[in-house]
Amino acid sequence: MDSRRGSRFVIDPKIRQVGFVPAGCESENPNASSAVAAIANVDVNPTSDSPSPVMIPPRLADPLPRAAPLPVPSPPPRKHTSVEIPLQGSYNPTDSVLGTSPPFSPASNGRYAGVPSSEGPDLSPSFVSRASSAMEGMSLREDHLGSPSASRFATVGEYAMFKQQQPQQPATAVTKVYASSLPQEPVQSFAPVGKEDSSKPLKERTTKAERRAKQEADREAKRIAKESAGAKVVEGEARASSNVVGKASRAQSQKKDSASEKRLSAVEKASEKEKKKEIPAPRMQFDDQSRVAKAKKRALIEQTETKHRVELFRHLPQFVYGAQLPSLEAKFFHDDAMHPHPAVYQVGLQYLTGDITGGNARCIAMLSAFKELIKDYCTPRERTLIRDLTARVNNNVSFLTTCRPLCISMGNAIRFLKTRIAKLQLTLSESDAKSLIIAEIDRFMQEKINYADNEITKLAVTKIKDGDVILTYGSSCVVETIILHAFSLGKKFRVVIVDSRPKLEGKGLLRRLLGRGISCTYSHINAVTYIIQEVNKVFLGASSILSNGTVYSRVGSASVAMVANAFHVPVMICCETYKFHERVQLDSICFNELGDPDALVKIPGRKGLSELEGWSQSSHLKLLNLMYDVMPADYVSMIITELGMVPPTSVPVILREYRKDPILENFATFGKDSNPIKFFRASLEYYRAC
Amino acid sequence: MARAMPELQLAISDFLLKLQRRQIEGSFDSAKHTVLLLRQVIVQHRASHSGQASSFIDAVKTVGARLVAASPIELAVGNVVRRVLHIIREEEVSIANNTEDEGETTFDSDDNNNSDDDGLPVLSAAVLAAANRNVLRAPSLHNLLESAVIPAVAIVSSSSAGDSEERSRSSEKNSKGWKLKHSIIEGINELLEDINNNHAQIAEQALEHIHQNEVILTLGHSRTLLQFLREAKKKRSFEVFVAEGAPRYLGHTLAKELAALNLQTTLITDSAVFAMMSRVDMVIIGAHAVMANGGVIAPTGLHMVALAARRHAVPFVVLAGMYKLCPLYPHNPYVLVNEMKSLSQILEHEESMEYIDAALNVPDLLAMNPSFDYIPPELVSLFITDMGGHNPSYIYRLVAEYYSPEDHSLE
C-alpha cells in the first residue's frame, strides 16, 4: 500500500487540476511522469498489440439509477451495460458475469471527479493484454478512493481515442489521464468503439467510421508510447513501484482471465447488439417508391391511396380510409400462414372502426390478443418456436398496422414481446415457453400499465388541492383516473374539459365525470385562451414522450400547453414510462398519423353546415385530419411517471436507465422467489427517496 | 321629433332590433347599416338655427348611444358613430374656414386685411371652437396645417369684429346651415364609400406581402381576407391552410371559396394549428376590431394562432378596414369585449340534456362558448388597413386622425 500511497497524489484533488495546466508544467510534476511511464512501460512494442483486443468488465452497479428521477443536473449517464438497482440483498455478486460493486454513497460522487480508470485489483479479470496493464498500474495507485468501479478506459486504444477527442488539452499522457477523471461526454461517446475493438475477433462487422476510429486510436497510442519513452528517463522509483504493483495484480487477475474472457466477450457482444437496437430503426417513409413497392408485396391486402393526398405528408400512409375493410373481411376466411389470429383480427377491426382508442387501451387490447394468439399457437413441424412465433407475431403486427398505424407505446410493447420470445431458452418445452411468455405479457400489462397508472395517480393527486381548477384536453384515461381519485379523496375542485373536432373525445370524459358528480366546464379548443384564465393547473396525457423531452400526444395538446405556458399555468403530463421512446422529433410533420379526412366534413349537431359536401370534387381542396402533435419540452412543467415527477429533460435519463427493463430483468436475475411487486415497490421507494 | 320623422324612428328601431337579435352581425354589415342610418338621421334632422353643428352632434349621439347599447360587441357601430361625429366637427370647422376664405376671395381677394363683415361673430365663434378643439385634439400633421390658418383668421376676425353688423344674418345662416348639412352628408357618403371599398383597397396591397409559393395560414372566414388572397392569386400561386374555426366553422366556407379560386387549400382542424405552424410562412387574419393600443378583437381561436405564430416566428398579419379601428383602449377585453354564444353550438341539444340529467346532483355544468379573443398588440406583426400598413404601436396615432377625443364616450 505504501508504494501506492506514494503515488496517491496522482488523483489528489489538488493536483488533479494539473490536468488543465499547459503542457509545459508537466515535466515538473513527478506524478505526471509516472503516469506516462506507466503507459510507456506497456507499450514496449506498440506495433504488435496496438489494437489491444482487451475487454474490461463493463461498468457495473452504477449509482446512476438514482439519478433517473432527479432533474437535469444528473451526472452524465455512462456506458450502459447493465442497470442494476443497488437495493436487492439477494443479489450475489459472484453469480454475475459482470462482477459488481457495492452501492455508492452519495459521497462517492468523487468517483466522477477523482478516479479516471480505477481497476480494482480484485476485479480485473479481463485483463489480457499488456496494453491495459498500464492503466491497471495507474489505477492501482488510485484505488485508495475505494471505488472499485470498472475502468473508464477499457483499453489504451480507448484512452487514446479519448485523448484525440480532447484536442484543446495539452497533449500529454498525464493531462489526458487527468482529464479523463472529469465527467465528460466523450467518455461515453467513444466507449462503444473500444468495445468494438475488443469484440473484433468475434465480430468482424465494423463500420467504416469505426475502423477509422480504431486506426486513429492506434496511431495515437503509438505516439503516446514514444512520448512517454522520453519521459521515462526523468521518472524514477514511482514507475518501478507502480510497475511492481501492476504486475502483481496482473498476475493475480490473470488466473481468472481465461475463464471470464469468453463469457465477457459474449456479454459484450450481446450488449453491443443491444446498443445497436437502442438506436431506433428508421421509419418507413411512404414517399420512398422502392420501399413502398416492397412493402406492398408483403402487405396483407391492397390499400388504395387517396387521390387527395396532402403533399406535406407524402411520407405518411394516406390510404382511402376504411377501404381496407372489405378486403380484410374477405381475407378472414383465407386460411394461410399470413392469416391473423381471430383475436388479433377482432382487435384490428376495433382499431379500424375506432372502438378502441387511447394508447393504453390499444396496447392492452393488442397484448391480450397476442396472449390468445400464443395460447392457440403450436409450433409447426421442423420449426423452432422462437423463430416461428416471432414470425407469427410479425404477421399479426403488420395486420394491425394495416388497420391503423401503431402508436409508439404499442411499438414498445411489441418490442418487449419480441425480446421475450427471442430470449426463451431453447430447452424449454413448448407449453412451458408459451406459459412463460403469457406470464411475461401479463406482467407487462400489470406492471407497466396498471401498476404504473396507480402510481401516477398517487403522485398526481398530491398536486390537486381544494379550490383548484384543472384543465384537461381530450380524454386521457390516466388523467381521468387522477381526477376520479382526487374526487374520491374528497378534494373540491373543478374540471375544465377542452375538446376539439373531429373526435370530440372530451364529451365522453365529460359524461363520465358528471356521472360521478364532478363539476365540469366544457369548451372547445379555440376558447382555451379564454378559459385558461380561470385555470390553475393543466393535466394532459400523452401518447408518447420522446427522448428530447417532446411530448407526442393528441393533436391540440401542444396548443393547450402553449396557451397554458403563455398564461403561466403549469402543465403536467401524465405518462407511463413504457410510452417513452428513444426517437427524437422536432415538429409534428415528420412523423404523425393521418385520420380520415371525411371526418371533418360533417359537424355534429349542425345540419345546416355542410359546406364541404362533395369536397373531393375539387382538386385544389384537401382536408387534413392530423392525429397527433408534438409539444416542445419547454411547455412542460413536469412529467408525472410511475417513477416520480420528473422534468422533460430527464426523459433520456429514464430511457437510458430503464431501457433494459430493469424490473423485469432483475426479477429474472434475482430468482423467482422474490415477489416482483414488492421488488418494484422497493425500487420505486428507493428512487423517490433519492 | 319623433312625430316629425316616423319613418326614421321606424328605421332606427328596426336596426336596433336587428342588432339586438344579432341578425346583423359582423363589423362590415353593422358598420354599413349604421352609416346608412346615420345619414338618414342627418338628412331628416332639422337643426335649430343656433349652433347647427352641435344639434347634429346631439342627434347623432343619441341615436349612436342607442345603437351601441343594442350590441356593444359590434364595436364597428360605435366606431362609425364616432366617425360621423368627427365628420360633423370637421365640416363645421371647414365651413367656418371656407366662409372666411370665400369672404376673402369674393369680396376682397387681393387684400387680406379687408374681409367680409357679415357673419363675423359666427365666424369668430366657430374659429374659437375650432381653436379649442385643436387644443383638445392630439397634434397631427393635418391639425398643424389647420392651426396655422386659424391664428391668422382669428386675428383678422378680431380686428374686424368691431364693425360687424347684424344684417341679412338669418339668410346667411340658412345657407350656411344647408351647406353644413350638405357637406356632412357628403362626408358620410365618403365614409360609406370607404367602407365599401376597404376590401378592395386592402387587397391592392396583397402583392406587396405575398410571394410565390408562400404558405399562408388563417382561421375562420373573413371577407377582407378572401379578397386579399383573390387579388394575390391573380399574380402569384401559393398555398393556404385554413383552420375551420370552431364553433362557427366558417373556415369550411373559406376553404371552399379559396379552392374555387384554384388556390391550393388545405382545411385543418383548429387543434392542428400549432402542428402546422412550423411550415407556415405567414398568418393572415381578418379582425373584428382593432383597439387603440393595437390589440385586436378577433374571432375566438386567433389568440392561440397568434401565440403559435410567435412561437414559430411566423409573421402575424391583421387585415382591418379603418372602420374597425376603435378609439377605446381595452380593459379586460376577454370579459368586457366579448360575448358568450349558445351552448348548443358546442354541445348538441340532446347531448346537453343528457349531461344535465347526468349532472342533476351537480348544479354546475358550464359550457363556455365565447365569440371573441383579444390578441395583445405584441403578438401582431403588422396591420394592413385601407390606409396602408401600420405597426401596432402606430394605431393610437391613427385613432387621433380619425376620431375626435370628445366623442370617445358617446354618453
Side-chain angles (χ1 to χ4, degrees), chain A residues 494 501 507 511 517 519-523 526 529-531 533 587 600 604 606 611 620 622 624 634-635, chain B residues 244 246-247 256 265-267 270 279 300 311 334 340 345 348 351 354-355 362 364 366-368 373:
Chain A
R494 184 171 189 86
R501 287 230 313 141
K507 283 185 179 177
R511 185 179 294 129
S519 313
C520 290
T521 304
Y522 180 81
S523 195
N526 277 348
T529 42
Y530 178 89
I531 207 94
Q533 302 178 43
D587 57 30
L600 296 188
R606 305 280 194 89
E611 285 283 343
H620 292 283
K622 310 259 158 73
L624 175 67
D634 49 340
Y635 292 155
Chain B
E244 45 188 6
K256 211 174 163 188
T265 312
T266 309
L267 183 83
D270 300 321
R279 295 295 182 277
T300 179
R311 164 81 194 185
Y334 258 104
M340 286 296 153
Q345 282 189 327
E348 285 167 63
E351 264 182 318
E354 183 191 322
Y355 292 136
V362 194
D364 46 349
L366 291 179
M368 290 289 180
D373 264 0

Side-chain angles (χ1 to χ4, degrees), chain B residues 175-194:
Chain B
S175 74
K176 226 173 273 167
W178 177 84
K179 222 186 251 169
L180 179 63
K181 193 171 186 175
H182 181 75
S183 48
I184 289 171
I185 289 169
E186 213 141 79
I188 293 176
N189 283 341
E190 260 171 47
L191 176 63
L192 189 64
E193 208 170 310
D194 274 356

